[in-house]
């Protein structure tokens, strides 16, 4: 078992229960790579500043590089009895290089180390997640471009509303995802601060060079207050909040696709490779992948709550409670990466049910707003136009008639402004073409947006 870094002061051995209860190695072993890289930079700085002999630093760095190789190849055997990853690596280093290892912890505390490790870990993970979001956006964009001539009935309140281009609907997803990515990238600014040198919490009298360590580790800046360095985890809360918003977006997209794949909608077919069956109902093809994407929001939001509650009311500076920030952080990031990965694959395999969609566009109530606007263009007030079309739609529904089948005479009864040419607008293409205000579903505008997104996402 790894040696305790603080054992000498204790007159008695800690209880086995305490060891088990306080240990974090079962989850923080994942930070080993960052812990070692941080230690290498720290040792280099200590030697440069003549705080430790160059010879000892060289031996420390050599030993750490050995351990790093083992960690990266998966050969390193973690001691799951150790208190944490920091103790475990320190212990192995001591066993490897002997006395020189005792100088590594000069001007450093595990409070600093863990803050450093999480920040390094997060910088990598943010980049990975941002890349995955871009990949998902590109997959959705490709799907939109491949189906740029498809019009679907759009819904508000889950009731048929108006015609929109499928591509327009899909670009709405990309708009949200792009903001999610921007939020994560922005949060990285606040993660990208190097905390080593807090020396537990008040700084040190030894002549350390924090700027040198910062440069070695590729951080943008230094944390400017030693207490803040070890005390706060607001950057974790921020990432979890960003992931929570992203997960809400993804669950809503999943919900659209689930609805669209039902027999009732029948807009799309989700590939068999992303569905499961029923053990009792042989006819079923269930969208379980999408349902689990939708359900995972609960996990990620739980992780955010968990860290927020953990932080609330903590006295300033480092407290051991902070150790518990990592399981929710790891869980949220792992879950999000799994979701993004499978969503990319699933989206790449969706098939559009063109005929079923086209049949739904026969519902002429989709054009009620177009008729209102037709009347407004002829000088009728908005209120009056709404009443006219309301009456017409209600009569048609009551009598099971189509608007297009009304005679010239019948049209005139609703308003003398309703001329035979109104029938021309009872058409999905005419309808989407009419929506030419900036941000609308007019095909030329949507075409421009598709090109803009292509350029942006491929830049
Ligand atoms: N395992 C601890 C954590 O994750 C490391 C820091 C321990 N510091 C201490 N003073 N006990 O926060």
């Amino acid at each position: 078992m790894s040696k305790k870094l603080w054992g000498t002061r204790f007159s008695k051995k800690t209880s086995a229960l305490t060891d088990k209860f306080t240990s974090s190695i079962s989850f923080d072993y994942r930070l080993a790579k960052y812990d070692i890289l941080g230690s290498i930079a720290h040792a280099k700085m200590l030697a440069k500043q003549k705080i430790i002999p160059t010879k000892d630093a060289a031996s420390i760095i050599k030993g750490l590089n050995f351990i790093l190789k083992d960690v990266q190849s998966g050969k390193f055997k973690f001691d799951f009895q150790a208190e944490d990853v920091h103790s475990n690596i320190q212990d192995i280093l001591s066993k490897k290089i002997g006395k020189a290892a005792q100088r590594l912890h000069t001007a450093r505390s595990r409070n600093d180390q863990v803050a450093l490790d999480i920040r390094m870990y997060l910088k990598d993970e943010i980049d990975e997640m941002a890349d995955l979001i871009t990949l998902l956006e590109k997959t959705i964009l490709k799907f939109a471009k491949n189906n740029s001539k498809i019009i679907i009935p759009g819904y508000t309140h889950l009731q048929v509303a108006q015609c929109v281009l499928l591509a327009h609907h899909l670009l709405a997803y990309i708009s949200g995802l792009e903001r999610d990515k921007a939020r994560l990238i922005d949060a990285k600014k606040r993660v990208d601060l190097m905390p080593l040198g807090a020396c537990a919490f008040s700084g040190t009298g030894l002549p350390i060079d924090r700027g040198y360590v910062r440069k070695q580790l590729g951080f943008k800046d230094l944390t400017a207050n030693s207490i803040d360095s070890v005390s706060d985890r607001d950057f974790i809360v921020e990432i979890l909040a960003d992931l929570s918003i992203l997960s809400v977006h993804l669950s809503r997209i999943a919900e659209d696709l689930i609805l669209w794949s039902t027999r009732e909608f029948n807009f799309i077919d989700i590939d068999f490779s992303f569905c499961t069956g029923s053990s009792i109902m042989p006819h079923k093809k269930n969208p379980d992948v999408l349902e689990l994407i939708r359900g995972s929001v609960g996990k990620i939001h739980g992780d955010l709550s968990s860290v927020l509650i953990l932080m609330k009311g903590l006295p300033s500076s480092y407290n051991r409670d902070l150790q518990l920030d990592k399981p929710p952080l790891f869980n949220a990031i792992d879950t999000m990466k799994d979701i993004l990965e499978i969503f990319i694959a699933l989206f790449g395999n969706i098939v559009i049910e063109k005929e079923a969609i086209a049949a739904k566009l026969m519902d002429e109530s989709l054009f009620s707003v177009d008729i209102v606007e037709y009347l407004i263009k002829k000088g009728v007030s908005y209120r009056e136009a709404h009443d006219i079309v309301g009456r017409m739609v209600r009569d048609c529904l009551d009598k099971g008639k189509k608007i297009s089948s009304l005679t010239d005479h019948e049209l005139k009864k609703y308003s003398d402004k309703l001329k035979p040419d109104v029938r021309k607008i009872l058409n999905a293409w005419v309808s989407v073409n009419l929506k030419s205000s900036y941000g609308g579903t007019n095909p030329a505008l949507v075409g421009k947006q598709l090109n803009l997104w292509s350029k942006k996402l491929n830049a």
Side-chain angles (χ1 to χ4, degrees):
M1 182 177 158
S2 299
K3 200 168 163 248
K4 294 221 168 62
L5 296 172
W6 39 265
T8 328
R9 190 247 177 272
F10 271 51
S11 57
K12 209 173 162 190
K13 269 183 78 174
T14 45
S15 128
L17 277 174
T18 302
D19 291 344
K20 186 161 175 269
F21 189 67
T22 55
S23 171
S24 55
I25 186 123
S26 63
F27 47 87
D28 66 16
Y29 75 92
R30 293 177 57 165
L31 298 173
K33 175 180 130 191
Y34 303 110
D35 201 69
I36 297 169
L37 291 172
S39 290
I40 291 174
H42 181 66
K44 275 189 192 163
M45 181 278 290
L46 292 175
K48 181 183 84 72
Q49 295 301 98
K50 306 202 173 1
I51 300 171
I52 65 170
T54 316
K55 187 166 67 45
D56 286 349
S59 145
I60 289 172
I61 293 164
K62 197 169 160 207
L64 286 171
N65 272 320
F66 260 117
I67 302 174
L68 181 62
K69 242 191 233 149
D70 281 357
V71 165
Q72 283 176 325
S73 67
K75 261 203 284 174
F76 186 81
K77 285 209 167 41
F78 287 98
D79 170 10
F80 287 105
Q81 311 294 315
E83 191 178 354
D84 52 34
V85 67
H86 325 292
S87 317
N88 192 177
I89 288 168
Q90 174 71 50
D91 191 58
I92 297 294
L93 184 69
S94 295
K95 285 184 179 135
K96 256 194 172 19
I97 68 166
K99 247 187 147 184
Q102 291 180 9
R103 296 196 189 269
L104 173 61
H105 216 51
T106 314
R108 189 176 78 167
S109 150
R110 281 178 297 160
N111 302 355
D112 319 19
Q113 255 177 295
V114 73
L116 175 83
D117 297 357
I118 310 175
R119 285 175 184 273
M120 290 176 74
Y121 157 80
L122 269 178
K123 281 172 62 180
D124 282 352
E125 295 293 331
I126 289 171
D127 288 347
E128 259 187 56
M129 287 189 287
D131 286 348
L132 281 170
I133 297 173
T134 304
L135 210 55
L136 177 59
E137 290 175 296
K138 282 185 179 175
T139 312
I140 298 174
L141 186 67
K142 190 170 164 208
F143 181 53
K145 283 184 149 179
N146 289 345
N147 295 289
S148 63
K149 298 275 176 308
I150 301 286
I151 298 174
I152 56 167
Y155 292 74
T156 63
H157 311 264
L158 265 188
Q159 302 289 328
V160 166
Q162 298 182 56
C163 293
V164 284
L165 282 177
L166 172 68
H168 190 58
H169 190 108
L170 295 169
L171 286 179
Y173 297 162
I174 297 180
S175 305
L177 292 172
E178 188 66 11
R179 287 193 296 278
D180 292 323
K181 186 168 57 183
R183 262 187 286 273
L184 281 173
I185 291 170
D186 192 68
K188 194 174 161 192
K189 284 187 220 150
R190 287 167 289 283
V191 173
D192 204 357
L193 304 170
M194 209 290 296
L196 282 194
C199 303
F201 95 113
S202 68
T204 176
L206 296 168
I208 60 170
D209 182 350
R210 295 189 64 209
Y212 178 79
V213 178
R214 175 195 72 75
K215 248 196 220 148
Q216 298 279 310
L217 294 175
F219 276 89
K220 273 248 154 58
D221 221 330
L222 293 175
T223 52
N225 178 297
S226 62
I227 299 175
D228 182 48
S229 300
V230 294
S231 176
D232 216 331
R233 297 290 188 265
D234 56 352
F235 57 98
I236 291 184
V237 172
E238 190 176 352
I239 298 292
L240 289 173
D242 294 348
L243 293 182
S244 296
I245 300 173
L246 168 59
S247 73
V248 167
H249 279 153
L250 294 170
S251 83
R252 292 187 66 180
I253 299 173
E255 173 61 11
D256 274 358
L257 299 183
I258 291 169
L259 281 173
W260 287 359
S261 68
T262 58
R263 218 179 266 182
E264 287 68 20
F265 273 81
N266 197 22
F267 287 6
I268 56 170
D269 182 63
I270 310 286
D271 197 71
F272 271 110
S273 50
F274 298 100
C275 293
T276 64
S278 157
S279 58
I280 179 164
M281 295 169 278
H283 68 285
K284 296 274 270 172
K285 179 184 169 207
N286 294 328
D288 295 38
V289 167
L290 290 165
E291 289 169 321
L292 286 170
I293 291 174
R294 190 177 56 187
S296 298
V297 175
K299 283 169 67 179
I300 295 175
H301 285 231
D303 294 330
L304 169 64
S305 298
S306 172
V307 179
L308 276 173
I309 296 166
L310 167 74
M311 298 299 296
K312 185 213 167 276
L314 267 193
S316 280
S317 187
Y318 180 83
N319 299 272
R320 191 64 174 262
D321 317 45
L322 292 175
Q323 173 166 297
L324 301 176
D325 60 358
K326 282 171 284 301
L329 179 66
F330 293 159
N331 180 62
I333 290 178
D334 293 345
T335 305
M336 182 50 76
K337 289 201 299 192
D338 284 349
I339 292 178
L340 289 167
E341 227 171 90
I342 198 156
F343 222 157
I344 291 162
L346 183 149
F347 238 111
N349 284 285
I350 296 177
V351 172
I352 288 288
E353 302 287 4
K354 289 186 186 159
E355 273 129 57
I357 294 174
K360 294 231 159 55
L361 296 176
M362 293 294 139
D363 177 355
E364 291 176 346
S365 58
L366 283 165
F367 311 114
S368 67
V369 174
D370 299 318
I371 308 174
V372 169
E373 291 185 355
Y374 166 97
L375 289 169
I376 290 171
K377 284 175 191 162
K378 296 203 166 188
V380 181
S381 76
Y382 166 74
R383 195 65 270 155
E384 199 189 335
H386 193 283
D387 287 349
I388 293 166
V389 179
R391 245 179 287 129
M392 196 165 72
V393 169
R394 194 185 54 208
D395 287 349
C396 283
L397 285 174
D398 287 352
K399 294 176 190 147
K401 262 190 173 177
K402 297 199 87 177
I403 301 173
S404 55
S405 70
L406 296 174
T407 62
D408 295 355
H409 180 68
E410 284 171 317
L411 283 173
K412 207 172 169 181
K413 275 206 287 185
Y414 293 106
S415 163
D416 56 6
K417 297 278 174 8
L418 279 173
K419 304 288 184 213
D421 66 347
V422 74
R423 294 192 194 98
K424 275 196 216 137
I425 61 174
L426 304 174
N427 169 288
W429 277 102
V430 174
S431 177
V432 291
N433 264 296
L434 283 167
K435 307 295 168 9
S436 57
S437 58
Y438 178 70
T441 194
N442 171 285
L445 292 176
V446 174
K448 260 191 207 156
Q449 288 295 322
L450 287 172
N451 288 337
L452 282 174
W453 280 110
S454 278
K455 268 192 210 138
K456 193 173 170 135
L457 296 177
N458 291 308

